[in-house]
């Protein structure tokens, strides 16, 4: 450690610049982690925060946007409800619509048709839950659009009116659009394209987008057995995130950017310590000549890199958390979570040490004879 500390103090400008680069990479890592988590919350928080354990779609439905492509029937719901390991099975209707508030402000909503009083219907933190047709409970984030309790929302083209009777305690969105929970019967009328006063056939009130499932005691039902009985294609709620519009593409894009960021971090740290090792070859040769072992020099070099990386990453994470806190409430889909930030910081440290280890391995080839000037 003596040599490492001495060089850190002696070449503090060079190490400071390198530390600044690593710190900036750490800041970017925190911001990307927050943006990635924010996109997940903004895209599927309605599913993430629901009590649903699995959903069953119509057999053969494409994975992407399955919630809006699928159509199941009450008979398939009954087949699922008859399974011994299914505690509750309810029809769930989903569709994205354009609407207007009372003052004519355009409002985009994802309609979730649920059974009033069922396990999918959320409790209202403000107001009350849906109990009748023509009522909606909105995500609390819909307040940002100027919607308040008692407002009447009118759906475009159909003219269907929905009274806001409550708001959820937290954000509930789907496909980056606020969710409006309404009765399944009202959703079925909207899905069929019926306006006020239009009459529908009894069959129109037997369909929905999916069957929402919950097993007893938190256990996931046997999806394969249920699919065989109901003729559906079921998946766990986590697997169903991919069925949200744009979810997979957004997540894969963010993960690819983060992967490149970590790779760049390892390359930058490795390149710096490679050049640094080349510049101090004669000093290392002198150390070898007076008896320092290769292990000692390697350990010293890695400890030097560890001090630099821990300090720089710590400073960068702190700055990133501060910047992330400033972004909160700006409307950007941003959510800081301890897990992704901690994992990202650990990867920066680990990959940086790998890059430094590859660079300092050059020490093992240093010939003590060079310290005596034999190479001249």
């Amino acid at each position: 450690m003596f040599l490492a500390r001495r060089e850190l103090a002696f070449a503090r400008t060079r190490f400071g610049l390198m530390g600044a680069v690593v710190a900036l990479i750490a800041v970017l890592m925190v911001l990307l982690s927050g943006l990635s988590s924010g996109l997940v919350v903004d895209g599927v928080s309605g599913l993430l925060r629901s009590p649903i354990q699995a959903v069953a779609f119509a057999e053969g439905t494409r994975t992407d946007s399955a919630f809006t492509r699928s159509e199941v029937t009450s008979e398939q719901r009954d087949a699922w409800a008859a399974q011994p390991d299914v505690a509750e099975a309810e029809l769930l209707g989903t569709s994205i619509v354009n609407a207007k508030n009372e003052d004519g402000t355009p409002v985009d909503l994802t309609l979730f048709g649920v059974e009033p009083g069922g396990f999918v219907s959320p409790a209202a933190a403000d107001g009350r839950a849906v109990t009748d047709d023509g009522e909606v409970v909105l995500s609390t984030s819909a307040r940002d659009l100027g919607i308040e309790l008692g407002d009447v929302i009118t759906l475009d083209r159909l003219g269907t009116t929905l009274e806001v009777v409550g708001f959820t305690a937290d954000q509930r969105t789907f496909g980056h659009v606020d969710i409006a929970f309404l009765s399944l019967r009202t959703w079925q009328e909207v899905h069929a394209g019926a306006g006020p006063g239009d009459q529908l056939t009894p069959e129109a009130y037997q369909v929905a987008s999916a069957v929402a499932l919950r097993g007893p005691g938190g256990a996931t039902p046997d999806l394969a057995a249920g699919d065989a009985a109901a003729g559906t294609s079921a998946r766990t709620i986590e697997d169903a995130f991919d069925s949200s519009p744009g979810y997979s593409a957004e997540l894969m894009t963010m993960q690819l950017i983060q992967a490149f960021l970590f790779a760049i971090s390892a390359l930058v740290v490795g390149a710096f310590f490679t050049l640094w090792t080349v510049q101090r070859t004669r000093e290392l040769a002198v150390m070898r000549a007076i008896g320092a072992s290769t292990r000692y020099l390697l350990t010293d070099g890695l400890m030097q890199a560890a001090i630099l990386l821990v300090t720089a990453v710590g400073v960068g994470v702190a700055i990133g958390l501060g910047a992330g806190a400033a972004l909160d409430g700006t409307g950007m889909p941003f959510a800081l979570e301890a897990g992704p930030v901690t994992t990202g910081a650990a990867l920066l440290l680990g990959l940086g040490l790998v890059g430094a280890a590859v660079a300092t391995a050059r020490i093992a080839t240093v010939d003590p004879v060079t310290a005596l000037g034999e190479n001249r």
Side-chain angles (χ1 to χ4, degrees):
M1 285 294 293
F2 170 76
L3 183 61
R5 291 196 303 268
R6 178 179 176 279
E7 289 178 339
L8 284 170
F10 176 76
R12 54 184 176 273
T13 301
R14 272 178 282 187
F15 280 102
L17 289 173
M18 183 59 202
V21 172
V22 175
L24 288 174
I25 293 175
V27 170
L28 185 57
M29 178 274 297
V30 173
L31 296 179
L32 285 175
S33 297
L35 185 57
S36 180
S37 299
L39 287 172
V40 170
V41 171
D42 204 52
V44 295
S45 59
L47 303 177
L48 188 66
R49 294 166 178 165
S50 76
I52 302 172
Q53 291 179 309
V55 287
F57 299 108
E59 191 172 20
T61 303
R62 287 176 53 184
T63 300
D64 59 315
S65 301
F67 280 97
T68 53
R69 297 177 188 272
S70 170
E71 187 173 283
V72 296
T73 65
S74 56
E75 287 80 8
Q76 291 173 308
R77 184 263 326 269
D78 294 340
W80 271 104
Q83 295 299 303
D85 57 352
V86 174
E88 295 179 275
E90 293 180 9
L91 289 178
L92 171 66
T94 60
S95 56
I96 300 177
V97 299
N98 303 118
K100 287 184 175 62
N101 200 2
E102 289 181 335
D103 58 2
T105 303
V107 178
D108 294 329
L109 295 173
T110 297
L111 302 183
F112 267 31
V114 298
E115 294 285 359
F119 82 96
V120 182
S121 181
D126 186 12
R128 60 177 176 82
V130 172
T131 59
D132 200 0
D133 298 341
E135 298 177 344
V136 290
V137 170
L138 298 180
S139 166
T140 187
S141 54
R143 292 182 184 273
D144 297 335
L145 303 175
I147 303 175
E148 298 295 339
L149 282 176
D151 285 359
V152 176
I153 296 173
T154 304
L155 303 186
D156 291 350
R157 296 186 301 106
L158 301 178
T160 302
T161 56
L162 305 170
E163 181 186 358
V164 180
V165 298
F167 289 94
T168 60
D170 46 20
Q171 180 183 0
R172 301 290 180 95
T173 50
F174 180 83
H176 306 291
V177 179
D178 291 313
I179 293 178
F181 296 91
L182 71 167
S183 70
L184 179 62
R185 183 179 178 87
T186 303
W187 178 89
Q188 289 165 334
E189 292 172 352
V190 173
H191 178 67
D198 292 345
Q199 298 296 318
L200 296 178
T201 63
E203 290 76 15
Y205 293 104
Q206 304 298 316
V207 300
S209 301
V211 180
L213 306 168
R214 183 164 68 172
T220 303
D222 185 343
L223 302 184
D227 283 338
T232 56
S233 176
R235 63 198 70 161
T236 63
I237 193 65
E238 291 80 10
D239 292 338
F241 290 170
D242 289 344
S243 300
S244 173
Y247 177 83
S248 297
E250 292 172 352
L251 201 60
M252 289 176 62
T253 300
M254 295 305 301
Q255 289 174 342
L256 182 62
I257 294 173
Q258 288 176 310
F260 273 109
L261 181 65
F262 293 133
I264 290 170
S265 174
L267 290 173
V268 167
V269 174
F272 173 80
F273 279 98
T274 296
L275 293 175
W276 179 244
T277 302
V278 171
Q279 290 178 356
R280 62 190 185 125
T281 299
R282 297 186 64 80
E283 289 79 2
L284 295 175
V286 170
M287 295 289 292
R288 288 287 304 277
I290 62 177
S293 66
T294 300
R295 180 179 178 181
Y296 171 84
L297 295 178
L298 286 171
T299 302
D300 192 79
L302 286 177
M303 290 304 298
Q304 189 178 74
I307 293 172
L308 173 69
L309 289 170
V310 170
T311 303
V313 171
V315 171
V317 168
I319 295 174
L321 292 175
L327 291 174
D328 189 23
T330 61
M332 181 182 297
F334 190 88
L336 285 174
E337 296 180 356
V341 173
T342 302
T343 301
L347 283 172
L348 284 180
L349 289 172
L351 293 174
L353 286 175
V354 169
V358 172
T360 53
R362 181 186 176 89
I363 295 174
T365 65
V366 174
D367 185 357
V369 175
T370 59
L372 305 177
E374 185 66 26
N375 61 325
R376 296 184 179 177

